[in-house]
Amino acid sequence: MLRKTFLFLGLLLAPAIAAAGKGPDRHRQVDALFAPWSGKTTPGCAVGISRDGVLDYARGYGMSNLEHDVPITPRSSFLIASISKQFTAFSIGLLAQEGKLSLDDDIRKHLPEMPDHGKTITVAHLLHHTNGLREQGQLLNLAGWRGDDVYTEADILWALTRQRGVNFEPGAEVVYGNAAYTLLGGIVRRVSGRSLRAFADERIFKPLGMTDTRFRDDHTELVPRRAWAYSAREGGGWRSSVPNVDHYGATGLFTTVGDLLKWEQNLIDARVGGQALNAMLQTSGSLNDGTATGYGGGLRLGDHRGLRTVGHDGMDGGYRTEALLFPDQRLAIVALCNGSTLVPADLTRKVAEVYLGDRMKTVMPPAVKLPEAELSVLAGNYWSPLTDEVVRLEVKDGALRQVGVPTAFVPIGDGAFRPGESMHVWRFSAPTAGSPRTLSIKDAWPTFRDFTPVTAPLPVTSVLATFAGLYRSDEVDATYTVRVADGKLAIRWPRRDEVVLDAVGGDRFVGSLGAVTFTRAASGGIDGLTISNRRLRRLRAERLGVAEAPKATATVDPR
């Protein structure tokens, strides 16, 4: 153990170690992967790799601060975003070990201000994303918060405690979200009597020697050697993109690649917490029907090309991060990046192939050829009765793809497609005499979401005016203005830019905030609208003012 501690202190010596001949071919291959981000005019990444608990390579690529010409080094500190969740889960596990809480506790035992939604939401439901709570950031956005506003835990609790609905019954589905882990951070504070920051510092970071790691609860706090974050500016160049958040648990942890490698080793040897707690973190949650979710305690449990993986990604502002562990091969890879266009999850897996490629299998379903005529019949708008989402598909440049999304769908046979090089599956059923073609989507989660074609005709321009008006949602304390602008509907609310809505059929529209569906009273008049997307379903706003006239006929605009 002492040997491991001293070896981890050698992070800054990594280039010298490489030059001395320790794995130079591997290291040159890693450098080649990050070469596009190694210049002085772009953000980049810090990368750390350990084998059997021993540092193998660490290096910085690109710039930590573009304004002051500061390069990234292995000691640069990054906001690791959702990688933070595993430390929150570990803190909950420590308290459970001590008998101070149970994973089966109703969350209202510790957070009595949370509303009673009719079914018990447990601490375990929070840990495994099977809780059904609506996404915190989207609720605040719909309440008028801007992207660069300060978000606090009190703001999030304000939004969550106003909700009268949930996305689904607890345990029925799994949908990733941040609200659960913000609440878990609050539970740590209320049960332990200390902030999550203080608790994790004493119980996790100090025992592991993670001296460059801390939860940040004040966005004005100075962080030594912090890498600034950037997002791409339209037309070229970069702009600052550092989140202003004063909440943590779901995010909020600053650390370095060296410190994270120490934590990755703890996931193997369990020096802190013990084997039982580390096993709990790495055990999948399950749905009410017994289906494994593939998500443990703040950790995604999966595989890459036939090798078991434990890890998590992170995305907050311009920060993009990934910590990936191959526990059976005792290989850990950490990539912490500060540019929004980087995809560290892809980069870490390519690094893994450098180290473990000879043990990996070819698992990507091979592409099959389909004539464009067969692709064209699949294009159109599809709606999910379960989630209320809308997906729009088109054939562009000879390939099926989502409208506005560059990734092309690759046909793999039997009506199935994969988006690009991912293992996600979009499967189309053939239409029958009694039912139309349907679409089922399976992404990173274990269950399919079913979609049906939107067959209602598009509303003519004259009908759009019947949707205009004011709509009020008490759940986010906001009033929305819907109007007709340049032949389309647009929706606006205080402090937010107007969102243009594209008609997809009947009373259903889509925009950057998701699917907007107008609802009708028994008389046929429009009485409200709902807003839905992947992490928020059917948030309702009631129409204000005089009831609408009976429903006008929606026909295809001849223009």
PDB file of all heavy atoms in Angstrom, residues 79-85 135 176 178 229-230 241 243 245 250-252 300 312-322 335 337 339-345 535:
ATOM      1  N   LEU A  79     -13.784  20.612 -12.956  1.00  0.00           N
ATOM      2  CA  LEU A  79     -15.105  20.222 -12.471  1.00  0.00           C
ATOM      3  C   LEU A  79     -15.472  18.928 -13.189  1.00  0.00           C
ATOM      4  O   LEU A  79     -15.556  18.896 -14.423  1.00  0.00           O
ATOM      5  CB  LEU A  79     -16.135  21.307 -12.779  1.00  0.00           C
ATOM      6  CG  LEU A  79     -17.587  20.977 -12.422  1.00  0.00           C
ATOM      7  CD1 LEU A  79     -17.766  20.850 -10.922  1.00  0.00           C
ATOM      8  CD2 LEU A  79     -18.532  22.044 -12.985  1.00  0.00           C
ATOM      9  N   ILE A  80     -15.682  17.850 -12.425  1.00  0.00           N
ATOM     10  CA  ILE A  80     -15.894  16.551 -13.076  1.00  0.00           C
ATOM     11  C   ILE A  80     -17.372  16.240 -13.279  1.00  0.00           C
ATOM     12  O   ILE A  80     -17.732  15.152 -13.722  1.00  0.00           O
ATOM     13  CB  ILE A  80     -15.205  15.414 -12.309  1.00  0.00           C
ATOM     14  CG1 ILE A  80     -15.737  15.286 -10.877  1.00  0.00           C
ATOM     15  CG2 ILE A  80     -13.697  15.630 -12.318  1.00  0.00           C
ATOM     16  CD1 ILE A  80     -15.222  14.042 -10.157  1.00  0.00           C
ATOM     17  N   ALA A  81     -18.253  17.204 -12.953  1.00  0.00           N
ATOM     18  CA  ALA A  81     -19.684  17.084 -13.253  1.00  0.00           C
ATOM     19  C   ALA A  81     -20.254  15.795 -12.656  1.00  0.00           C
ATOM     20  O   ALA A  81     -20.066  15.535 -11.479  1.00  0.00           O
ATOM     21  CB  ALA A  81     -19.911  17.192 -14.759  1.00  0.00           C
ATOM     22  N   SER A  82     -20.910  14.966 -13.465  1.00  0.00           N
ATOM     23  CA  SER A  82     -21.659  13.834 -12.926  1.00  0.00           C
ATOM     24  C   SER A  82     -20.802  12.699 -12.401  1.00  0.00           C
ATOM     25  O   SER A  82     -21.324  11.779 -11.758  1.00  0.00           O
ATOM     26  CB  SER A  82     -22.640  13.304 -13.973  1.00  0.00           C
ATOM     27  OG  SER A  82     -23.707  14.211 -14.145  1.00  0.00           O
ATOM     28  N   ILE A  83     -19.505  12.718 -12.635  1.00  0.00           N
ATOM     29  CA  ILE A  83     -18.639  11.747 -11.954  1.00  0.00           C
ATOM     30  C   ILE A  83     -18.748  11.957 -10.444  1.00  0.00           C
ATOM     31  O   ILE A  83     -18.507  11.036  -9.661  1.00  0.00           O
ATOM     32  CB  ILE A  83     -17.182  11.878 -12.438  1.00  0.00           C
ATOM     33  CG1 ILE A  83     -17.087  11.545 -13.927  1.00  0.00           C
ATOM     34  CG2 ILE A  83     -16.255  10.956 -11.654  1.00  0.00           C
ATOM     35  CD1 ILE A  83     -15.686  11.726 -14.503  1.00  0.00           C
ATOM     36  N   SER A  84     -19.161  13.161 -10.035  1.00  0.00           N
ATOM     37  CA  SER A  84     -19.351  13.465  -8.618  1.00  0.00           C
ATOM     38  C   SER A  84     -20.333  12.512  -7.951  1.00  0.00           C
ATOM     39  O   SER A  84     -20.265  12.283  -6.735  1.00  0.00           O
ATOM     40  CB  SER A  84     -19.880  14.903  -8.460  1.00  0.00           C
ATOM     41  OG  SER A  84     -19.100  15.849  -9.144  1.00  0.00           O
ATOM     42  N   LYS A  85     -21.280  11.982  -8.716  1.00  0.00           N
ATOM     43  CA  LYS A  85     -22.392  11.213  -8.128  1.00  0.00           C
ATOM     44  C   LYS A  85     -21.909  10.008  -7.325  1.00  0.00           C
ATOM     45  O   LYS A  85     -22.501   9.644  -6.309  1.00  0.00           O
ATOM     46  CB  LYS A  85     -23.361  10.775  -9.226  1.00  0.00           C
ATOM     47  CG  LYS A  85     -24.193  11.909  -9.821  1.00  0.00           C
ATOM     48  CD  LYS A  85     -25.142  11.395 -10.881  1.00  0.00           C
ATOM     49  CE  LYS A  85     -26.138  12.473 -11.324  1.00  0.00           C
ATOM     50  NZ  LYS A  85     -25.508  13.564 -12.071  1.00  0.00           N
ATOM     51  N   GLU A 135     -36.568  16.409 -13.977  1.00  0.00           N
ATOM     52  CA  GLU A 135     -35.190  16.909 -13.990  1.00  0.00           C
ATOM     53  C   GLU A 135     -35.109  18.338 -13.458  1.00  0.00           C
ATOM     54  O   GLU A 135     -35.843  19.226 -13.901  1.00  0.00           O
ATOM     55  CB  GLU A 135     -34.628  16.843 -15.407  1.00  0.00           C
ATOM     56  CG  GLU A 135     -33.262  17.466 -15.602  1.00  0.00           C
ATOM     57  CD  GLU A 135     -32.164  16.763 -14.796  1.00  0.00           C
ATOM     58  OE1 GLU A 135     -32.454  15.732 -14.144  1.00  0.00           O
ATOM     59  OE2 GLU A 135     -31.032  17.235 -14.816  1.00  0.00           O
ATOM     60  N   TYR A 176     -32.235   8.598 -16.185  1.00  0.00           N
ATOM     61  CA  TYR A 176     -31.159   9.324 -15.525  1.00  0.00           C
ATOM     62  C   TYR A 176     -31.575  10.765 -15.243  1.00  0.00           C
ATOM     63  O   TYR A 176     -32.210  11.415 -16.067  1.00  0.00           O
ATOM     64  CB  TYR A 176     -29.925   9.308 -16.424  1.00  0.00           C
ATOM     65  CG  TYR A 176     -28.713   9.991 -15.848  1.00  0.00           C
ATOM     66  CD1 TYR A 176     -27.830   9.292 -15.041  1.00  0.00           C
ATOM     67  CD2 TYR A 176     -28.464  11.331 -16.107  1.00  0.00           C
ATOM     68  CE1 TYR A 176     -26.710   9.921 -14.510  1.00  0.00           C
ATOM     69  CE2 TYR A 176     -27.351  11.958 -15.579  1.00  0.00           C
ATOM     70  CZ  TYR A 176     -26.480  11.245 -14.780  1.00  0.00           C
ATOM     71  OH  TYR A 176     -25.373  11.878 -14.248  1.00  0.00           O
ATOM     72  N   ASN A 178     -30.599  14.449 -12.436  1.00  0.00           N
ATOM     73  CA  ASN A 178     -29.741  15.070 -11.425  1.00  0.00           C
ATOM     74  C   ASN A 178     -30.449  15.362 -10.113  1.00  0.00           C
ATOM     75  O   ASN A 178     -29.810  15.449  -9.067  1.00  0.00           O
ATOM     76  CB  ASN A 178     -29.139  16.359 -11.980  1.00  0.00           C
ATOM     77  CG  ASN A 178     -28.137  16.081 -13.077  1.00  0.00           C
ATOM     78  OD1 ASN A 178     -27.112  15.451 -12.861  1.00  0.00           O
ATOM     79  ND2 ASN A 178     -28.442  16.527 -14.289  1.00  0.00           N
ATOM     80  N   ALA A 229     -13.352  26.473 -18.565  1.00  0.00           N
ATOM     81  CA  ALA A 229     -14.116  25.651 -19.508  1.00  0.00           C
ATOM     82  C   ALA A 229     -14.632  26.512 -20.645  1.00  0.00           C
ATOM     83  O   ALA A 229     -14.946  27.698 -20.458  1.00  0.00           O
ATOM     84  CB  ALA A 229     -15.270  24.955 -18.802  1.00  0.00           C
ATOM     85  N   TYR A 230     -14.770  25.884 -21.818  1.00  0.00           N
ATOM     86  CA  TYR A 230     -15.126  26.619 -23.031  1.00  0.00           C
ATOM     87  C   TYR A 230     -16.142  25.830 -23.866  1.00  0.00           C
ATOM     88  O   TYR A 230     -16.135  24.600 -23.869  1.00  0.00           O
ATOM     89  CB  TYR A 230     -13.865  26.865 -23.879  1.00  0.00           C
ATOM     90  CG  TYR A 230     -12.790  27.617 -23.131  1.00  0.00           C
ATOM     91  CD1 TYR A 230     -11.801  26.921 -22.431  1.00  0.00           C
ATOM     92  CD2 TYR A 230     -12.792  29.006 -23.077  1.00  0.00           C
ATOM     93  CE1 TYR A 230     -10.822  27.602 -21.718  1.00  0.00           C
ATOM     94  CE2 TYR A 230     -11.817  29.698 -22.368  1.00  0.00           C
ATOM     95  CZ  TYR A 230     -10.844  28.985 -21.688  1.00  0.00           C
ATOM     96  OH  TYR A 230      -9.882  29.665 -20.972  1.00  0.00           O
ATOM     97  N   SER A 241     -17.404  29.036 -20.704  1.00  0.00           N
ATOM     98  CA  SER A 241     -18.602  28.245 -20.377  1.00  0.00           C
ATOM     99  C   SER A 241     -18.383  27.523 -19.053  1.00  0.00           C
ATOM    100  O   SER A 241     -18.239  26.306 -19.005  1.00  0.00           O
ATOM    101  CB  SER A 241     -18.899  27.252 -21.496  1.00  0.00           C
ATOM    102  OG  SER A 241     -20.098  26.558 -21.241  1.00  0.00           O
ATOM    103  N   PRO A 243     -20.014  26.782 -15.395  1.00  0.00           N
ATOM    104  CA  PRO A 243     -21.308  26.841 -14.715  1.00  0.00           C
ATOM    105  C   PRO A 243     -21.220  27.569 -13.381  1.00  0.00           C
ATOM    106  O   PRO A 243     -20.246  27.436 -12.643  1.00  0.00           O
ATOM    107  CB  PRO A 243     -21.670  25.370 -14.520  1.00  0.00           C
ATOM    108  CG  PRO A 243     -20.376  24.644 -14.557  1.00  0.00           C
ATOM    109  CD  PRO A 243     -19.487  25.408 -15.482  1.00  0.00           C
ATOM    110  N   VAL A 245     -22.817  27.256 -10.236  1.00  0.00           N
ATOM    111  CA  VAL A 245     -23.680  26.416  -9.409  1.00  0.00           C
ATOM    112  C   VAL A 245     -23.206  26.448  -7.966  1.00  0.00           C
ATOM    113  O   VAL A 245     -22.020  26.333  -7.685  1.00  0.00           O
ATOM    114  CB  VAL A 245     -23.730  24.961  -9.919  1.00  0.00           C
ATOM    115  CG1 VAL A 245     -24.384  24.902 -11.286  1.00  0.00           C
ATOM    116  CG2 VAL A 245     -22.348  24.339  -9.967  1.00  0.00           C
ATOM    117  N   ALA A 250     -25.054  16.060  -7.253  1.00  0.00           N
ATOM    118  CA  ALA A 250     -25.161  15.576  -8.627  1.00  0.00           C
ATOM    119  C   ALA A 250     -23.954  16.001  -9.442  1.00  0.00           C
ATOM    120  O   ALA A 250     -23.599  15.379 -10.438  1.00  0.00           O
ATOM    121  CB  ALA A 250     -26.438  16.104  -9.276  1.00  0.00           C
ATOM    122  N   THR A 251     -23.323  17.091  -9.034  1.00  0.00           N
ATOM    123  CA  THR A 251     -22.154  17.658  -9.703  1.00  0.00           C
ATOM    124  C   THR A 251     -21.346  18.360  -8.616  1.00  0.00           C
ATOM    125  O   THR A 251     -21.501  18.085  -7.438  1.00  0.00           O
ATOM    126  CB  THR A 251     -22.585  18.613 -10.835  1.00  0.00           C
ATOM    127  OG1 THR A 251     -21.423  19.135 -11.499  1.00  0.00           O
ATOM    128  CG2 THR A 251     -23.429  19.762 -10.322  1.00  0.00           C
ATOM    129  N   GLY A 252     -20.442  19.249  -9.014  1.00  0.00           N
ATOM    130  CA  GLY A 252     -19.811  20.131  -8.049  1.00  0.00           C
ATOM    131  C   GLY A 252     -18.458  19.720  -7.525  1.00  0.00           C
ATOM    132  O   GLY A 252     -17.865  20.448  -6.731  1.00  0.00           O
ATOM    133  N   ARG A 300     -21.993   3.663 -13.742  1.00  0.00           N
ATOM    134  CA  ARG A 300     -22.568   2.904 -14.844  1.00  0.00           C
ATOM    135  C   ARG A 300     -21.827   1.566 -14.935  1.00  0.00           C
ATOM    136  O   ARG A 300     -20.589   1.529 -14.950  1.00  0.00           O
ATOM    137  CB  ARG A 300     -22.417   3.661 -16.159  1.00  0.00           C
ATOM    138  CG  ARG A 300     -23.136   5.005 -16.185  1.00  0.00           C
ATOM    139  CD  ARG A 300     -23.027   5.642 -17.559  1.00  0.00           C
ATOM    140  NE  ARG A 300     -23.511   7.005 -17.584  1.00  0.00           N
ATOM    141  CZ  ARG A 300     -24.780   7.359 -17.748  1.00  0.00           C
ATOM    142  NH1 ARG A 300     -25.687   6.408 -17.893  1.00  0.00           N
ATOM    143  NH2 ARG A 300     -25.140   8.619 -17.765  1.00  0.00           N
ATOM    144  N   HIS A 312     -18.203   6.393 -15.232  1.00  0.00           N
ATOM    145  CA  HIS A 312     -19.201   7.453 -15.372  1.00  0.00           C
ATOM    146  C   HIS A 312     -18.612   8.578 -16.202  1.00  0.00           C
ATOM    147  O   HIS A 312     -17.398   8.791 -16.232  1.00  0.00           O
ATOM    148  CB  HIS A 312     -19.630   7.996 -14.019  1.00  0.00           C
ATOM    149  CG  HIS A 312     -21.076   8.412 -13.965  1.00  0.00           C
ATOM    150  ND1 HIS A 312     -21.554   9.531 -14.616  1.00  0.00           N
ATOM    151  CD2 HIS A 312     -22.150   7.848 -13.365  1.00  0.00           C
ATOM    152  CE1 HIS A 312     -22.859   9.642 -14.405  1.00  0.00           C
ATOM    153  NE2 HIS A 312     -23.249   8.613 -13.653  1.00  0.00           N
ATOM    154  N   ASP A 313     -19.515   9.267 -16.890  1.00  0.00           N
ATOM    155  CA  ASP A 313     -19.133  10.455 -17.637  1.00  0.00           C
ATOM    156  C   ASP A 313     -19.660  11.680 -16.924  1.00  0.00           C
ATOM    157  O   ASP A 313     -20.430  11.573 -15.960  1.00  0.00           O
ATOM    158  CB  ASP A 313     -19.681  10.392 -19.064  1.00  0.00           C
ATOM    159  CG  ASP A 313     -21.210  10.288 -19.074  1.00  0.00           C
ATOM    160  OD1 ASP A 313     -21.782   9.744 -18.103  1.00  0.00           O
ATOM    161  OD2 ASP A 313     -21.829  10.750 -20.042  1.00  0.00           O
ATOM    162  N   GLY A 314     -19.258  12.851 -17.385  1.00  0.00           N
ATOM    163  CA  GLY A 314     -19.741  14.099 -16.804  1.00  0.00           C
ATOM    164  C   GLY A 314     -19.807  15.199 -17.841  1.00  0.00           C
ATOM    165  O   GLY A 314     -18.979  15.258 -18.758  1.00  0.00           O
ATOM    166  N   MET A 315     -20.792  16.081 -17.707  1.00  0.00           N
ATOM    167  CA  MET A 315     -20.989  17.196 -18.637  1.00  0.00           C
ATOM    168  C   MET A 315     -21.630  18.343 -17.872  1.00  0.00           C
ATOM    169  O   MET A 315     -22.739  18.203 -17.356  1.00  0.00           O
ATOM    170  CB  MET A 315     -21.888  16.770 -19.807  1.00  0.00           C
ATOM    171  CG  MET A 315     -22.188  17.861 -20.807  1.00  0.00           C
ATOM    172  SD  MET A 315     -23.441  17.360 -22.045  1.00  0.00           S
ATOM    173  CE  MET A 315     -22.649  15.936 -22.782  1.00  0.00           C
ATOM    174  N   ASP A 316     -20.925  19.454 -17.753  1.00  0.00           N
ATOM    175  CA  ASP A 316     -21.471  20.624 -17.064  1.00  0.00           C
ATOM    176  C   ASP A 316     -20.777  21.845 -17.627  1.00  0.00           C
ATOM    177  O   ASP A 316     -19.540  21.942 -17.573  1.00  0.00           O
ATOM    178  CB  ASP A 316     -21.225  20.517 -15.554  1.00  0.00           C
ATOM    179  CG  ASP A 316     -22.241  21.328 -14.739  1.00  0.00           C
ATOM    180  OD1 ASP A 316     -22.956  22.160 -15.339  1.00  0.00           O
ATOM    181  OD2 ASP A 316     -22.316  21.129 -13.513  1.00  0.00           O
ATOM    182  N   GLY A 317     -21.560  22.792 -18.197  1.00  0.00           N
ATOM    183  CA  GLY A 317     -20.939  23.911 -18.891  1.00  0.00           C
ATOM    184  C   GLY A 317     -20.081  23.362 -20.022  1.00  0.00           C
ATOM    185  O   GLY A 317     -20.502  22.515 -20.803  1.00  0.00           O
ATOM    186  N   GLY A 318     -18.838  23.819 -20.113  1.00  0.00           N
ATOM    187  CA  GLY A 318     -17.921  23.319 -21.132  1.00  0.00           C
ATOM    188  C   GLY A 318     -17.077  22.154 -20.670  1.00  0.00           C
ATOM    189  O   GLY A 318     -16.254  21.649 -21.433  1.00  0.00           O
ATOM    190  N   TYR A 319     -17.264  21.697 -19.447  1.00  0.00           N
ATOM    191  CA  TYR A 319     -16.487  20.565 -18.941  1.00  0.00           C
ATOM    192  C   TYR A 319     -17.043  19.251 -19.484  1.00  0.00           C
ATOM    193  O   TYR A 319     -18.256  19.035 -19.495  1.00  0.00           O
ATOM    194  CB  TYR A 319     -16.516  20.527 -17.414  1.00  0.00           C
ATOM    195  CG  TYR A 319     -15.784  21.668 -16.751  1.00  0.00           C
ATOM    196  CD1 TYR A 319     -16.485  22.730 -16.186  1.00  0.00           C
ATOM    197  CD2 TYR A 319     -14.391  21.694 -16.701  1.00  0.00           C
ATOM    198  CE1 TYR A 319     -15.816  23.789 -15.575  1.00  0.00           C
ATOM    199  CE2 TYR A 319     -13.718  22.747 -16.095  1.00  0.00           C
ATOM    200  CZ  TYR A 319     -14.428  23.786 -15.537  1.00  0.00           C
ATOM    201  OH  TYR A 319     -13.770  24.829 -14.935  1.00  0.00           O
ATOM    202  N   ARG A 320     -16.153  18.367 -19.915  1.00  0.00           N
ATOM    203  CA  ARG A 320     -16.500  17.032 -20.393  1.00  0.00           C
ATOM    204  C   ARG A 320     -15.517  16.060 -19.753  1.00  0.00           C
ATOM    205  O   ARG A 320     -14.296  16.214 -19.908  1.00  0.00           O
ATOM    206  CB  ARG A 320     -16.414  16.940 -21.920  1.00  0.00           C
ATOM    207  CG  ARG A 320     -17.350  17.899 -22.665  1.00  0.00           C
ATOM    208  CD  ARG A 320     -18.799  17.504 -22.497  1.00  0.00           C
ATOM    209  NE  ARG A 320     -19.702  18.324 -23.287  1.00  0.00           N
ATOM    210  CZ  ARG A 320     -20.266  19.451 -22.864  1.00  0.00           C
ATOM    211  NH1 ARG A 320     -20.000  19.903 -21.649  1.00  0.00           N
ATOM    212  NH2 ARG A 320     -21.086  20.136 -23.637  1.00  0.00           N
ATOM    213  N   THR A 321     -16.032  15.057 -19.049  1.00  0.00           N
ATOM    214  CA  THR A 321     -15.163  14.191 -18.256  1.00  0.00           C
ATOM    215  C   THR A 321     -15.584  12.731 -18.366  1.00  0.00           C
ATOM    216  O   THR A 321     -16.731  12.419 -18.662  1.00  0.00           O
ATOM    217  CB  THR A 321     -15.189  14.613 -16.774  1.00  0.00           C
ATOM    218  OG1 THR A 321     -16.539  14.517 -16.282  1.00  0.00           O
ATOM    219  CG2 THR A 321     -14.702  16.042 -16.588  1.00  0.00           C
ATOM    220  N   GLU A 322     -14.640  11.841 -18.079  1.00  0.00           N
ATOM    221  CA  GLU A 322     -14.915  10.415 -18.072  1.00  0.00           C
ATOM    222  C   GLU A 322     -13.902   9.722 -17.173  1.00  0.00           C
ATOM    223  O   GLU A 322     -12.689   9.977 -17.253  1.00  0.00           O
ATOM    224  CB  GLU A 322     -14.819   9.832 -19.494  1.00  0.00           C
ATOM    225  CG  GLU A 322     -14.905   8.323 -19.577  1.00  0.00           C
ATOM    226  CD  GLU A 322     -16.327   7.782 -19.617  1.00  0.00           C
ATOM    227  OE1 GLU A 322     -17.261   8.595 -19.655  1.00  0.00           O
ATOM    228  OE2 GLU A 322     -16.500   6.554 -19.640  1.00  0.00           O
ATOM    229  N   ALA A 335     -10.035  10.842 -18.189  1.00  0.00           N
ATOM    230  CA  ALA A 335      -9.843  11.958 -19.117  1.00  0.00           C
ATOM    231  C   ALA A 335     -10.730  13.105 -18.656  1.00  0.00           C
ATOM    232  O   ALA A 335     -11.952  12.967 -18.604  1.00  0.00           O
ATOM    233  CB  ALA A 335     -10.182  11.556 -20.550  1.00  0.00           C
ATOM    234  N   CYS A 337     -11.625  16.998 -19.480  1.00  0.00           N
ATOM    235  CA  CYS A 337     -11.495  17.923 -20.609  1.00  0.00           C
ATOM    236  C   CYS A 337     -12.267  19.207 -20.336  1.00  0.00           C
ATOM    237  O   CYS A 337     -13.215  19.221 -19.552  1.00  0.00           O
ATOM    238  CB  CYS A 337     -11.999  17.266 -21.893  1.00  0.00           C
ATOM    239  SG  CYS A 337     -11.284  15.620 -22.211  1.00  0.00           S
ATOM    240  N   GLY A 339     -13.437  21.439 -23.012  1.00  0.00           N
ATOM    241  CA  GLY A 339     -14.048  21.967 -24.220  1.00  0.00           C
ATOM    242  C   GLY A 339     -15.296  21.188 -24.574  1.00  0.00           C
ATOM    243  O   GLY A 339     -15.302  19.940 -24.535  1.00  0.00           O
ATOM    244  N   SER A 340     -16.360  21.887 -24.937  1.00  0.00           N
ATOM    245  CA  SER A 340     -17.668  21.246 -25.126  1.00  0.00           C
ATOM    246  C   SER A 340     -17.709  20.297 -26.306  1.00  0.00           C
ATOM    247  O   SER A 340     -18.594  19.438 -26.382  1.00  0.00           O
ATOM    248  CB  SER A 340     -18.750  22.313 -25.294  1.00  0.00           C
ATOM    249  OG  SER A 340     -18.521  23.069 -26.482  1.00  0.00           O
ATOM    250  N   THR A 341     -16.785  20.426 -27.249  1.00  0.00           N
ATOM    251  CA  THR A 341     -16.836  19.571 -28.427  1.00  0.00           C
ATOM    252  C   THR A 341     -16.030  18.281 -28.252  1.00  0.00           C
ATOM    253  O   THR A 341     -16.060  17.415 -29.135  1.00  0.00           O
ATOM    254  CB  THR A 341     -16.313  20.317 -29.666  1.00  0.00           C
ATOM    255  OG1 THR A 341     -14.974  20.759 -29.417  1.00  0.00           O
ATOM    256  CG2 THR A 341     -17.188  21.520 -29.982  1.00  0.00           C
ATOM    257  N   LEU A 342     -15.326  18.150 -27.131  1.00  0.00           N
ATOM    258  CA  LEU A 342     -14.594  16.912 -26.884  1.00  0.00           C
ATOM    259  C   LEU A 342     -15.544  15.827 -26.387  1.00  0.00           C
ATOM    260  O   LEU A 342     -16.538  16.120 -25.726  1.00  0.00           O
ATOM    261  CB  LEU A 342     -13.491  17.139 -25.853  1.00  0.00           C
ATOM    262  CG  LEU A 342     -12.248  17.857 -26.392  1.00  0.00           C
ATOM    263  CD1 LEU A 342     -12.190  19.280 -25.872  1.00  0.00           C
ATOM    264  CD2 LEU A 342     -10.984  17.106 -26.036  1.00  0.00           C
ATOM    265  N   VAL A 343     -15.226  14.580 -26.676  1.00  0.00           N
ATOM    266  CA  VAL A 343     -16.037  13.439 -26.237  1.00  0.00           C
ATOM    267  C   VAL A 343     -15.109  12.476 -25.495  1.00  0.00           C
ATOM    268  O   VAL A 343     -14.615  11.494 -26.072  1.00  0.00           O
ATOM    269  CB  VAL A 343     -16.727  12.740 -27.423  1.00  0.00           C
ATOM    270  CG1 VAL A 343     -17.696  11.670 -26.907  1.00  0.00           C
ATOM    271  CG2 VAL A 343     -17.469  13.742 -28.288  1.00  0.00           C
ATOM    272  N   PRO A 344     -14.843  12.734 -24.219  1.00  0.00           N
ATOM    273  CA  PRO A 344     -13.872  11.892 -23.501  1.00  0.00           C
ATOM    274  C   PRO A 344     -14.285  10.432 -23.384  1.00  0.00           C
ATOM    275  O   PRO A 344     -13.422   9.560 -23.268  1.00  0.00           O
ATOM    276  CB  PRO A 344     -13.761  12.566 -22.128  1.00  0.00           C
ATOM    277  CG  PRO A 344     -14.985  13.414 -22.003  1.00  0.00           C
ATOM    278  CD  PRO A 344     -15.320  13.848 -23.386  1.00  0.00           C
ATOM    279  N   ALA A 345     -15.599  10.145 -23.411  1.00  0.00           N
ATOM    280  CA  ALA A 345     -16.025   8.747 -23.345  1.00  0.00           C
ATOM    281  C   ALA A 345     -15.492   7.960 -24.538  1.00  0.00           C
ATOM    282  O   ALA A 345     -15.116   6.787 -24.401  1.00  0.00           O
ATOM    283  CB  ALA A 345     -17.545   8.666 -23.281  1.00  0.00           C
ATOM    284  N   ARG A 535     -36.356  13.753 -19.855  1.00  0.00           N
ATOM    285  CA  ARG A 535     -36.269  13.705 -18.397  1.00  0.00           C
ATOM    286  C   ARG A 535     -37.397  14.457 -17.695  1.00  0.00           C
ATOM    287  O   ARG A 535     -37.372  14.608 -16.479  1.00  0.00           O
ATOM    288  CB  ARG A 535     -34.926  14.264 -17.926  1.00  0.00           C
ATOM    289  CG  ARG A 535     -33.718  13.520 -18.473  1.00  0.00           C
ATOM    290  CD  ARG A 535     -32.438  14.067 -17.862  1.00  0.00           C
ATOM    291  NE  ARG A 535     -31.253  13.538 -18.516  1.00  0.00           N
ATOM    292  CZ  ARG A 535     -30.016  13.888 -18.200  1.00  0.00           C
ATOM    293  NH1 ARG A 535     -29.817  14.770 -17.233  1.00  0.00           N
ATOM    294  NH2 ARG A 535     -28.982  13.373 -18.834  1.00  0.00           N
TER     295      ARG A 535
END
